[in-house]
Structures are given as C-alpha cells and as structure tokens.
C-alpha cells in the first residue's frame, strides 16, 4: 500500500483536508493507498480549525473533528512513499532539515500542472476554506496515485 504524506504549516487546515479528501478518493476508487498529514510548524495535538471541520463536513461529507496536528518528523517522512507539500516553502524547509528525503518530497505546484501553491486559508472565511478544499480536491482527483 502506498503511503502519502501531505504537509502544510500548522496541520490544522490544508494538509488534514488533503489527507481526508485523498483517503475518501482512495476508498471510492479502490486505490491501494493511505494518506496522512503533518505540519512543518505544527503544535502537536492541536485540533483542526473549525472552518476546516465545517468545510469537510458540508462540502465533502467527511468528519475530521477528531484530527490532531502532528509536527513533521523523520518517522513520518520515512514511512511515506511520497510527501506532498502545499508550498515550495514547505518543501524547502523539509529538505533543509531532512535532506535524505529530498527524492520523495514534492510541492503540489510541481505535480498539479498549475504551477501554484495552495494558499493558507487560516483565519479566512468559510468560503475561502471551501475554495481551498476544491483546489486541493482537483489536484487529488487528477493526480495518478498508482
């Protein structure tokens, strides 16, 4: 089974939404993969943001209310087959701390054909979170995971 790790800043918005969307899609399509998430500056144990929880519930019928943030670490990186960061900055940060994982770390902009980061919706309106989740969802649905 392929292990996918999504990474953002605090692991309360983008990456938990990405992991949840990916896991739903993997299940629906019978893809032998599982997604997890973490953040480069996460506070271990923090909850997903309320707007992330609401976005996943209303827009995707996914419950992430039990999500607990995790800081990016060597164990998570080692267990992943592919690491997908929300920005080039996240990728650079990971590679600077863990250069031995550089060959499996990619920013979404390198993989999605759009060439753009996924903007952080933290503190923004529910509409911005919904827009962010749609952007993430489009990437996940179009990427060849197998």
């Amino acid at each position: 089974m392929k292990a996918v790790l999504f990474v953002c800043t605090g692991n309360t918005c983008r990456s938990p939404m990405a992991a949840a969307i990916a896991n739903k899609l993997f299940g629906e399509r019978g893809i032998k993969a599982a997604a997890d998430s973490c953040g480069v500056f996460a506070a271990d144990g923090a909850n997903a943001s309320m707007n992330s929880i609401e976005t996943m519930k209303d827009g995707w019928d996914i419950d992430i209310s039990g999500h607990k943030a995790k800081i990016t670490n060597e164990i998570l990186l080692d267990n992943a087959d592919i690491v997908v960061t929300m920005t080039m900055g996240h990728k650079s940060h990971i590679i600077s701390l863990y250069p031995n994982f550089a060959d499996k770390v990619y920013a979404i902009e390198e993989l999605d054909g759009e060439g753009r980061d996924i903007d952080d919706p933290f503190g923004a309106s529910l509409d911005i979170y919904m827009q962010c989740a749609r952007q993430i969802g489009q990437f996940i649905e179009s990427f060849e995971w197998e």
Side-chain angles (χ1 to χ4, degrees):
M1 178 172 290
K2 180 176 272 191
V4 180
L5 182 64
F6 290 98
V7 183
C8 68
T9 305
N11 193 219
T12 60
C13 302
R14 293 169 288 179
S15 60
M17 291 194 299
I21 293 167
N23 283 323
K24 180 176 182 173
L25 176 100
F26 296 159
E28 290 172 353
R29 294 193 180 167
I31 297 170
K32 294 184 184 328
D36 197 2
S37 67
C38 61
V40 295
F41 297 115
D44 274 330
N47 296 322
S49 71
M50 289 309 299
N51 279 348
S52 292
I53 293 169
E54 196 65 31
T55 296
M56 291 292 91
K57 179 181 164 201
D58 291 348
W60 296 84
D61 195 29
I62 301 171
D63 181 7
I64 63 166
S65 61
H67 172 78
K68 298 296 180 196
K70 298 182 291 285
I71 187 95
T72 306
N73 62 58
E74 190 167 6
I75 294 169
L76 289 169
L77 295 169
D78 190 45
N79 289 335
D81 294 305
I82 183 172
V83 178
V84 181
T85 67
M86 298 295 124
T87 70
M88 287 297 289
H90 297 134
K91 176 186 176 178
S92 296
H93 181 80
I94 290 169
I95 292 172
S96 72
L97 294 175
Y98 306 101
N100 51 319
F101 296 111
D103 62 336
K104 63 177 168 181
V105 181
Y106 302 89
I108 272 187
E109 71 179 61
E110 297 174 298
L111 303 174
D112 76 352
E114 299 292 323
R116 61 185 170 172
D117 289 340
I118 303 290
D119 292 332
D120 193 350
F122 185 77
S125 69
L126 186 57
D127 286 341
I128 298 296
Y129 275 80
M130 291 283 198
Q131 181 180 14
C132 178
R134 278 192 300 274
Q135 187 180 3
I136 291 167
Q138 288 169 350
F139 162 71
I140 291 169
E141 288 176 354
S142 66
F143 189 73
E144 190 63 43
W145 294 104
E146 294 183 294

